[in-house]
Structure formats: structure tokens, C-alpha cells
Amino acid sequence: MTNHPIIKRGYYGDFGGQFIPEMLRRNFEELEKAFNEAWADEAFRKEYLELMRDFVGRPTPLQKAERWSERCGVEIWFKREDLAHTGAHKINNAVGQVLLAHRMGKSHIIAETGAGQHGVATATACAWAGLPCTVFMGADDMKRQKPNVERMRLLGAEVRAAKTGSMTLKDATNEAMRFWIANPTDTHYVIGSAVGPHPYPMMVAEFHRIIGEETMTACARLDLKPTHLVACLGGGSNALGLFLPYIDQEIALVGVEAGGESLDSGRTAATIEKGSPGILHGAKTMVLQDGEGQIQEAHSVSAGLDYPGIGPLHAHLAAVGRLQTEAVSDTEALKAGMLCTRLEGILPALETSHALAWTLKAEWKGDELVLLNLSGRGDKDLETYINDHGRHV
Amino acid sequence: MITDDMSDIFKRLMHADDVNLSVFLTAGYPNMTACGHLIELLARHPAVSFVELGMPFSDPLADGPTIQRASEIALKQGTRLDDVLSLSKQFRSICDKPLMLMGYCNPVYRRGVERFVKEARAAGASGLILPDLPYESYSRDFAEALGQEGLSMSFFVSPTSTKEGIERAFETSTAFVYGVANVGLTGDIPSMDRGDFFRGLQNHRARCPIVAGFGIATPEDVNGLTGLVDGAIVGSAFLRALEPKNESMLDTTSIVQRAEDFLEPFNLNLK
């Protein structure tokens, strides 16, 4: 909730805030008020939860990964977000925000997308709600993720190419913000991760909190006492969704960043590991930047992780030592994804493969109990997996 | 050269009945050499009352395609904050017109606010405009340093501003209030009646001058604001005029010529 003790005037510790032009200030004031009211309103919660059940297919299972556990030498359970409608956790937030936009009387939805998962989720929620939807996507990403572009169009969304800068997620986010500046009254901007100016990071996290809550319920039923929660970190929404109900408990929170080619290659997306405090997309957080404060391009084999920032709440949790961050390389992630497919019959999204890869290389004593957020399915990444597989056979 | 407090200079300048013309130029665009000549032209040009010098940033959130592209080109050619400061210094060596450094927060924070403010002062800048700087950060990180160096700061009001937002901008700005004359980005075609918006701000004007920007392109746009604002900023339209569209338009003489041609009709405003 936006009145969580961690938050002071939109800041999470030293991070967060609202570094936005005056033209957007009213929108943010309205949004924060509307979200707080909606989230405290039983009727809104009820509608959201019914949609989570009937439209999204929740709760998603918590499944023991027998052969994966054996391979890692520790007991590991998967939270199967890949089984949620549209194939990833992203839909929780998309449905929540579209419901909120509807309640606010907004008549047009915009979103940014990198790999296309959030774009597909938002287009899906908009089709359900009967709201027109415009998705901004980097021109380069549109080429890399063509099936998702077509999928969004089939769902009735307009996909607009962001042709500035690196032509990826960062630039799509800029374009969406700019569109909002020019169309502030009737439009709601559905940000796809726990990033951006307050109240977005907390609001997105709240719409994903259901992941952690279901996990807790399942653990109680199965009498599981987890010691570690593991999730991949791009912007950080799936990680925060799982971690949020556990933040005040004694349990290790591990966020796995995309190391890219390697941590010291300069071609990485490991923002907490390699970044420094800066301001990007309206929030103070950890960013990849040069000495002049220019934002650098991020690199990862996973289009959902190549973002040069991170949620400000994650930056805060890492700074105070609550969040442990790790990085795995493109190669390690690809290998782990293939291995999971063979051992568990689950083709994971490349993003998720990063979390998987870390459990393979971490040093376990053997008495831990690990819950891993299997945040999405890998159908969208088939081409990358197949090409990589071809290289190794 | 500037020894006076900038806010006084602005007040004097803004006292005139006419709308003062300001020109926005992205530092390092179209290239560093040409930009040096352009800043001299602006310093000497009789139609130009003051200048916004853009500090290029990789992610300019409030800017339309023209300034985005100009920033990108400037950065690609290696324009650094030091280059921005040296252009400011060059301008100051020629004239005492106000010069505002305009950009986004991150590069300034990266440099260190205090250090940057000192450097800006040494380079003869009059003040800063940072559209993404929150008021709390201004009070905490900037106000004292700027006050010590006698530099000003401008905040924004826009057609979507709340009453409190307008109040705060006029109370906090020490140079002028930047009135966003459109619902849109820099360089967008206006989608609203500017007159109505600025008429609504008149009772604040005695406290702090108002300068209009965003989508102001022609002498007619500027003259249309007579009596309503103290200044008007032409940015994207100026940069578009500079843009080299083919090989023959790349040399400095041709770039400066196009800048002069662009500014020529604004001379008619001079009485």
C-alpha cells in the first residue's frame, strides 16, 4: 500500500520520488489518490480478485521441482506464474491498472513494452475492458519480438514504434511518457514494471502482491518453511510481487540480474551490481550511466531484462542489505532454460532462466528450502533457444 | 561580467512592453564548431533578449522529436557538460544578456550540485531550468547553492497545473516562470488557446515575470502574446531551421546563414 512504513512522501529510503515535468504533476496526484481509494475499497478488491481467478486463472500452482532440486542439491519449488493467462505474471498488474483506469473514467490506455509480454498483457486487459490501447515499443524490439507485435495487433491494440535512442524499452518508456504529456486528460499510462515515479513502483508491486500471498497460503497448506525466495530482476515486478508479503520476515530475498555477456564487458543489464544512483524515468534509483550522467544502453539476451534501471524499492532494499543481488550471464541463462525444459518439462521465459541459472551455481548446504518465481513461459523466446541449441549440438 | 543579481536583471528586462525573444539552442548541435558561431550570433543579435542553452541528455522526457534528435546528435559527437559551460563562457565574453542552462536533473546530480552551480556561475550562466526537478529536491539540494552564487531558477506552469502548482511556481522561481503554452511537448503544434491560459496567470505576473515556451515558432506567435507575457522562447523551430538536410548544408557558414535567415523576421519586432 502507498502508506507502507517504507514510504515517505513517495520515497523508499533514498530512492524513488517524482522527477516529472509539471505537465504530468496533476496526473500523478490524481493517480495516487485514485489508487489509494480503490485499493481500500472492498468492491474494487473483489472485482480484481474475481478477475484474477476467472480471467487470469489464479491461484497459480506451487509445484515441487523434483529433478531440478536433485540437480541443484537443494529442495526447490516453482511458483508457476507461467501458467497465468498470457503466459507470465505481467497480467496481474495489467488487469489491476486497467480496472483502475476504468474506475477513473479514462477512455484510452497506453503502455510501453520491451519483450512484448507487458504489451500483450495490457492489450489483453484492454480487449476485456473494451478500451482502446496504444503500446509503445522500441523499433529494434519490434523486429526481435515480431510474434508479440502481431499478437497485440490481433487483440486490437495499436503498436507504435519508438525510433529514438537505442530503440528499446527505455525509449518506448520515454515515448509513452511523452504521449501522456500531450494527452493528459483521457489517458491512463499502464507502466509494466515496478519502476517510474511514485506511486507506480508501489502500485505495480501491490497488484503483484497476490503472487507472494498465494505462495504463503500454499506454504501453510503444505507445511513448507522456505528459507530463500528467488526471482529475476529486470524492472523487478515479479520479484517484488513474490517478496512483498515476506519483507518483514526472516527469509533470504535473492534477486538475479542479467549479467549480459559478462559483468565487466560493458554489455550488461546488472543495474544494481554495476550501476550507480541516478534519475531515470522519473525516479531516483540505480541506473547504468556514464561519468556525465548519460544513461547507458543495457544488454541482455532477454529483452525483458535489458533495462538500464531498476525499481526504486529494489534499490532501497539492496542498499539496506535486505535484498541480495546476484548476476548470471546470457550463456548461463540459456543453458539453465534448456536444462529446465528437459528436466521439468517447462520451457521458461529467458527472464526466468536467469533465476534458474543462479540456483544451479549457488552453493547450497542442502537444508535450505527455495521458492523460485517461475515468472513466465518461454514460447516467445523459442527462436533464441533454438538458435542457441543449434550452436551446441 | 555579470556581477548583478540575475533576478534583478530579469526584472529590468521584463519591464518592457514588448515580448522579449529568447532562443533555445542545444549545446553541441549541429556540431561543436557551428554551435560556437551560433552562440556568438545569439549574443550579438539585436532581436534576441536572452538565451536558453540546452544541456543534452540521453532521455529528454519533455521534449518533442526536434530537441530529442538535436540532443542525440550532440551526444553522439561527444558533447560534454564542459562544452556546455565553455559555450556559456563564450556567450558571456560578448554580452550581458541572461543565459539559462536548461536540461534534466541527472547530469547535474552526477556532476554534484554544488560543484555544478559554481562552474555555471564561473561560466557566466544566469540560472538553471530543470523541468524534472521536484520542488523538494530544489529546496534541499539547490536553493542554498544557487543563492550563494547569485544564480536563478525557473519553474514551470502548464495548462494542467493545479492552483497550488501555479502558486508554488510563482513563489519559488527566481528568474521567471516558464509558462508551457501548450498541452504537449516542445515543438508540438499548439492544440489550445494560449491567450486564455496566459490571461489566467496575469494576477501572478507582478511577482515574477512569465516567459512562454513550447510550440512557439514564428514572430506572429511571439507578437500574439503581447501584453500577456514578458518573454517567449523559440526552440524547436530554430533547431529545425539549422538542420542540415543535405551535404551542402553541413558547413558552418551555411548553418549560421540559416540561423540569421530564421531570426531576420523577428527583427521587425524591434522598434
Side-chain angles (χ1 to χ4, degrees):
Chain A
M1 235 172 280
T2 56
N3 58 6
H4 190 279
I6 218 167
I7 304 177
K8 283 209 182 89
R9 291 196 306 274
Y11 276 83
Y12 321 108
D14 280 343
F15 298 99
Q18 287 182 330
F19 293 79
I20 50 172
E22 172 66 19
M23 295 79 93
L24 282 175
R25 198 158 300 281
R26 184 192 288 257
N27 281 22
F28 276 85
E29 283 172 14
E30 282 174 2
L31 179 63
E32 182 170 5
K33 192 163 166 275
F35 173 69
N36 283 337
E37 281 170 11
W39 211 226
D41 177 357
E42 284 300 321
F44 180 84
R45 287 251 194 173
K46 188 165 170 274
E47 194 179 5
Y48 164 76
L49 288 172
E50 277 173 9
L51 278 167
M52 287 296 108
R53 185 189 64 207
D54 303 334
F55 185 62
V56 177
R58 304 200 71 94
T60 59
L62 184 67
Q63 181 200 11
K64 186 171 182 187
E66 295 280 0
R67 299 179 69 202
W68 191 261
S69 298
E70 207 173 293
R71 178 62 72 110
C72 295
V74 68
E75 186 173 334
I76 299 185
W77 292 66
F78 290 163
K79 176 61 175 162
R80 295 290 306 277
E81 290 299 298
D82 60 314
L83 295 177
H85 184 36
T86 67
H89 71 289
K90 293 282 183 197
I91 190 79
N92 304 332
N93 168 54
V95 166
Q97 282 201 50
V98 167
L99 266 189
L100 181 65
H102 187 66
R103 182 186 162 107
M104 292 173 77
K106 301 284 182 178
S107 57
H108 183 198
I109 299 293
I110 57 170
E112 86 296 338
T113 197
Q117 284 308 101
H118 172 60
V120 167
T122 306
T124 300
C126 285
W128 173 84
L131 284 172
C133 175
T134 304
V135 179
F136 295 87
M137 191 169 186
D140 257 20
D141 285 340
M142 283 178 74
K143 274 186 236 151
R144 287 196 285 178
Q145 311 279 339
K146 219 171 172 193
N148 268 344
V149 174
E150 294 308 324
R151 206 168 152 201
M152 286 184 266
R153 286 180 177 148
L154 283 177
L155 285 158
E158 178 203 2
V159 184
R160 283 205 202 173
K163 289 178 183 160
T164 51
S166 54
M167 296 193 268
T168 61
L169 177 58
K170 162 174 100 73
D171 312 285
T173 308
N174 289 335
E175 285 307 313
M177 287 272 191
R178 288 175 186 134
F179 183 91
W180 210 19
I181 290 173
N183 303 273
T185 318
D186 58 349
T187 307
H188 174 68
Y189 175 20
V190 179
I191 288 188
S193 195
V195 301
H198 182 72
Y200 276 109
M202 209 51 192
M203 177 171 76
V204 173
E206 285 297 331
F207 284 133
H208 284 304
R209 176 193 281 270
I210 194 166
I211 303 171
E213 282 175 348
E214 286 174 8
T215 306
M216 269 188 163
T217 309
C219 283
R221 179 168 42 82
L222 297 161
D223 198 26
L224 297 176
K225 305 238 171 351
T227 60
H228 289 71
L229 301 179
V230 183
C232 62
L233 291 181
S237 65
N238 89 82
L240 211 46
L242 176 64
F243 297 167
L244 210 51
Y246 287 96
I247 280 184
D248 301 322
Q249 302 200 4
E250 218 172 290
I251 187 168
L253 309 176
V254 185
V256 185
E257 296 193 300
E261 289 178 10
S262 81
L263 271 185
D264 299 315
S265 62
R267 294 179 59 82
T268 179
T271 314
I272 295 180
E273 291 278 322
K274 302 304 286 184
S276 51
I279 295 149
L280 175 63
H281 294 143
K284 184 179 176 194
T285 185
M286 297 295 280
V287 299
L288 298 175
Q289 59 184 329
D290 66 11
E292 291 272 304
Q294 306 295 344
I295 307 301
Q296 303 297 96
E297 282 178 38
H299 291 277
S300 167
V301 66
S302 145
L305 299 182
D306 65 355
Y307 180 67
I310 178 78
L313 195 42
H314 306 72
H316 168 64
L317 292 173
V320 299
R322 181 67 190 96
L323 172 68
Q324 173 188 345
T325 54
E326 300 286 345
V328 305
S329 70
D330 289 348
T331 318
E332 289 170 319
L334 279 163
K335 263 195 200 155
M338 286 312 301
L339 190 62
C340 179
T341 309
R342 290 289 171 88
L343 290 179
E344 293 291 340
I346 299 168
L347 174 71
L350 271 171
E351 293 77 21
T352 315
S353 295
H354 286 74
L356 288 162
W358 180 73
T359 60
L360 276 177
K361 71 173 184 182
E363 284 179 24
W364 301 108
K365 283 184 286 177
D367 58 353
E368 301 94 337
L369 199 156
V370 181
L371 303 185
L372 182 145
N373 199 3
L374 209 116
S375 52
R377 69 178 186 223
D379 305 50
K380 67 182 177 62
D381 301 312
L382 267 177
E383 207 179 307
T384 313
Y385 279 126
I386 291 166
N387 288 342
D388 185 66
H389 188 61
R391 269 206 302 276
H392 297 298
V393 194
Chain B
M1 252 171 90
I2 293 278
T3 51
D4 210 344
D5 189 309
M6 271 332 294
S7 54
D8 292 335
I9 292 190
F10 270 107
K11 271 180 202 141
R12 274 207 308 277
L13 182 74
M14 301 306 181
H15 203 64
D17 293 332
D18 293 324
V19 178
N20 286 283
L21 175 69
S22 176
V23 172
F24 171 94
L25 172 65
T26 300
Y29 180 79
N31 58 62
M32 223 18 221
T33 315
C35 203
H37 286 85
L38 290 170
I39 204 81
E40 275 187 30
L41 172 69
L42 296 179
R44 296 188 201 283
H45 204 285
V48 178
S49 300
F50 60 109
V51 163
E52 273 79 37
L53 184 59
M55 306 184 276
F57 180 51
S58 53
D59 295 78
L61 219 54
D63 284 305
T66 304
I67 296 178
Q68 284 173 45
R69 199 167 49 242
S71 308
E72 216 175 310
I73 289 170
L75 289 174
K76 242 178 219 153
Q77 298 183 60
T79 306
R80 302 171 64 90
L81 218 39
D82 283 343
D83 300 315
V84 180
L85 294 168
S86 77
L87 285 167
S88 167
K89 209 172 269 176
Q90 196 180 342
F91 181 83
R92 186 56 65 228
S93 70
I94 300 168
C95 72
D96 64 357
K97 298 174 186 175
L99 178 140
M100 300 293 277
L101 297 175
M102 184 164 178
Y104 291 81
C105 284
N106 197 49
V108 174
Y109 273 107
R110 185 74 169 159
R111 187 75 153 214
V113 173
E114 251 180 70
R115 176 179 161 197
F116 178 74
V117 168
K118 281 203 174 81
E119 289 173 342
R121 165 72 186 189
S126 321
L128 304 182
I129 309 176
L130 301 171
D132 60 342
L133 181 70
Y135 285 97
E136 312 86 76
S137 306
Y138 166 74
S139 318
R140 193 189 53 220
D141 305 330
F142 284 79
E144 203 187 317
L146 288 171
Q148 265 169 17
E149 299 296 330
L151 259 61
S152 305
M153 179 71 99
S154 281
F155 287 92
F156 288 72
V157 294
S158 89
T160 59
S161 289
T162 58
K163 250 176 90 180
E164 297 74 38
I166 292 172
E167 184 56 37
R168 209 157 43 166
F170 279 92
E171 195 176 294
T172 322
S173 298
T174 50
F176 53 81
V177 165
Y178 194 124
V180 177
N182 192 15
V183 178
L185 306 164
T186 55
D188 280 357
I189 295 160
S191 59
M192 55 166 266
D193 186 338
R194 290 180 185 132
D196 278 352
F197 171 58
F198 287 110
R199 265 187 290 277
L201 297 175
Q202 291 310 303
N203 53 344
H204 297 281
R205 205 170 145 201
R207 289 153 70 194
C208 188
I210 302 172
V211 172
F214 282 49
I216 292 175
T218 64
E220 291 70 37
D221 291 336
V222 176
N223 291 335
L225 294 167
T226 306
L228 294 173
V229 299
D230 303 280
I233 304 170
V234 175
S236 297
F238 180 63
L239 296 181
R240 273 197 296 273
L242 303 179
E243 192 179 359
K245 291 181 183 68
N246 58 51
E247 286 286 309
S248 69
M249 294 169 85
L250 274 169
D251 70 281
T252 303
T253 326
S254 135
I255 291 167
V256 174
Q257 185 59 51
R258 289 201 298 284
E260 279 182 45
D261 293 347
F262 178 86
L263 292 173
E264 175 61 31
F266 289 92
N267 272 324
L268 301 174
N269 280 10
L270 299 175
K271 300 214 172 99

